[in-house]
Amino acid sequence: MRRETYNEFRRLCQEHNLAATHQREKIYEALVSRPGHYSPEEIYEQVKQDLPSISLATVYKNLKTFLHAGMLREVSPHHGSWRIDANRHPHHHLVCTHCRSITDLDFDSLGPVKLHGKLPSGFRLEKFTIEAQGICKACTAAETKQH
Amino acid sequence: MRRETYNEFRRLCQEHNLAATHQREKIYEALVSRPGHYSPEEIYEQVKQDLPSISLATVYKNLKTFLHAGMLREVSPHHGSWRIDANRHPHHHLVCTHCRSITDLDFDSLGPVKLHGKLPSGFRLEKFTIEAQGICKACTAAETKQH
DNA sequence: AATCCTTTAATAACTATTATCATCTGATAA
DNA sequence: TTATCAGATGATAATAGTTATTAAAGGATT
């Protein structure tokens, strides 16, 4: 691992009161040293090359730990369950990051995406999708009721 | 079901050579008659109120059938596996709808999202996310090689 | 009614994820 | 150094979500 990455990892662990273990180091490295956004399984495979005895559960657990500490983020708020869209008209989505509900937002509510320059060569664009992420009405209500 | 919806359902089935069965009718209705975007399990629960003996597998199978026929769409190309993002700088994503790979796109490559008017009342916006969906370089290459 | 093809329901199988728990590790104090 | 202890790990069981299998039911056509 590059010294810079290593120092950052140590710093982040210290900041969040996490032991900077060998396993965590390699998991972190597997994430930041490569360009894509990988699944736990892929990260596991990568780390296993250095630490053959690591457990998949350790990968999952530490990813959760890192996320919870704010060291990492989820790429998308809607993994985990398959959602179907029966609306054939162009539209956007409002996504509640709390209850994961998804509702439609009129196409005209948002301006078009403007591309500055070009996309990476070789990528064949089909469309831009915009999601408005936040907390829905119901969740906001439930929250304020609690306090 | 509203007559209009029913007719549309019949038409769509005919168009795609699908038997317009009772089960399919109710599944379709469960999707279009309500505002949100539901999971197979939720659709199953809804349909069960009319057809108590329907099987969850039937729901899955017909959702796939509808999708394949183009009668419906998936809300997101990346449900199914959890992806982690270690890039703490603001950025967008390029998503390949074929191999499901996700790579970063510079924040400055795209202009800001413009909101015309207001979002539905009660929704507390955290951020807009933009995804560029399409076919990545590797998949395009693999495709052309085949033909 | 007999035949054929499609669809369905039940359920087994599989994959992704989470929980459990015994063991191990590293830090600190004795 | 050893004893202690909290936290981390690895093995694996448990669960949730999804897909595959298969026997039976339904519907159209002969």
Side-chain angles (χ1 to χ4, degrees):
Chain A
M1 168 159 24
R2 289 163 54 213
R3 170 157 301 276
E4 193 188 332
T5 307
Y6 180 69
N7 289 339
E8 178 168 272
F9 168 70
R10 302 287 302 218
R11 184 179 59 73
L12 284 167
C13 283
Q14 208 158 19
E15 246 176 48
H16 297 100
N17 273 332
L18 299 173
T21 67
H22 216 54
Q23 287 87 341
R24 284 181 177 159
E25 184 188 317
K26 292 298 177 185
I27 292 168
Y28 187 80
E29 182 183 9
L31 285 161
V32 301
S33 69
R34 303 182 296 169
H37 295 303
Y38 303 98
S39 68
E41 186 74 35
E42 287 166 329
I43 295 162
Y44 172 63
E45 290 303 331
Q46 172 81 12
V47 173
K48 232 162 70 164
Q49 295 181 11
D50 284 336
L51 306 175
S53 74
I54 195 169
S55 159
L56 178 58
T58 300
V59 173
Y60 271 97
K61 225 171 317 178
N62 282 314
L63 289 177
K64 291 243 153 188
T65 303
F66 289 164
L67 272 178
H68 193 255
M71 292 167 61
L72 303 174
R73 287 197 230 146
E74 292 179 309
V75 169
S76 157
H78 32 64
H79 75 279
S81 91
W82 194 34
R83 304 299 192 82
I84 301 302
D85 195 337
N87 183 347
R88 265 189 304 290
H89 306 290
H91 62 281
H92 308 288
H93 286 137
L94 292 168
V95 180
C96 177
T97 53
H98 187 249
C99 71
R100 314 226 147 172
S101 69
I102 302 168
T103 48
D104 288 349
L105 177 63
D106 251 18
F107 185 74
D108 295 330
S109 306
L110 304 180
V113 174
K114 286 219 176 97
L115 180 59
H116 298 160
K118 289 191 170 179
L119 293 179
S121 82
F123 190 87
R124 210 160 73 239
L125 180 72
E126 282 166 358
K127 61 171 176 176
F128 288 110
T129 65
I130 309 181
E131 280 180 0
Q133 295 185 10
I135 306 292
C136 72
K137 192 171 187 168
C139 286
T140 302
E143 241 177 59
T144 46
K145 196 182 278 179
Q146 283 191 343
H147 303 307
Chain B
M1 169 162 18
R2 290 164 53 213
R3 169 157 302 277
E4 194 188 332
T5 308
Y6 181 68
N7 288 339
E8 177 168 273
F9 168 71
R10 301 289 301 221
R11 184 179 59 72
L12 283 167
C13 284
Q14 208 158 20
E15 247 176 47
H16 296 101
N17 273 331
L18 299 173
T21 66
H22 216 55
Q23 287 86 341
R24 284 180 178 159
E25 186 187 316
K26 292 298 178 186
I27 291 168
Y28 187 80
E29 183 182 8
L31 285 160
V32 301
S33 70
R34 302 183 296 168
H37 296 302
Y38 304 97
S39 68
E41 186 74 34
E42 286 166 330
I43 295 161
Y44 170 63
E45 290 304 331
Q46 171 80 13
V47 173
K48 229 162 73 166
Q49 295 181 10
D50 284 336
L51 306 176
S53 73
I54 196 169
S55 160
L56 179 58
T58 301
V59 173
Y60 271 98
K61 222 172 318 176
N62 282 315
L63 289 177
K64 291 240 156 190
T65 303
F66 290 163
L67 272 179
H68 193 255
M71 291 167 60
L72 303 173
R73 287 196 231 147
E74 292 178 311
V75 170
S76 157
H78 38 62
H79 72 282
S81 91
W82 194 33
R83 303 299 191 83
I84 300 301
D85 195 337
N87 183 346
R88 264 188 306 288
H89 306 290
H91 63 282
H92 308 289
H93 286 137
L94 293 168
V95 180
C96 178
T97 54
H98 188 250
C99 71
R100 315 224 147 171
S101 69
I102 301 168
T103 48
D104 288 349
L105 177 63
D106 251 18
F107 186 73
D108 295 330
S109 306
L110 304 179
V113 174
K114 286 219 177 97
L115 180 60
H116 298 160
K118 289 192 171 177
L119 293 180
S121 84
F123 190 87
R124 208 160 73 238
L125 181 71
E126 283 166 358
K127 62 172 176 176
F128 288 111
T129 64
I130 310 181
E131 280 180 1
Q133 294 183 11
I135 306 293
C136 73
K137 193 170 187 169
C139 286
T140 303
E143 240 177 58
T144 48
K145 197 183 275 180
Q146 284 191 342
H147 304 306

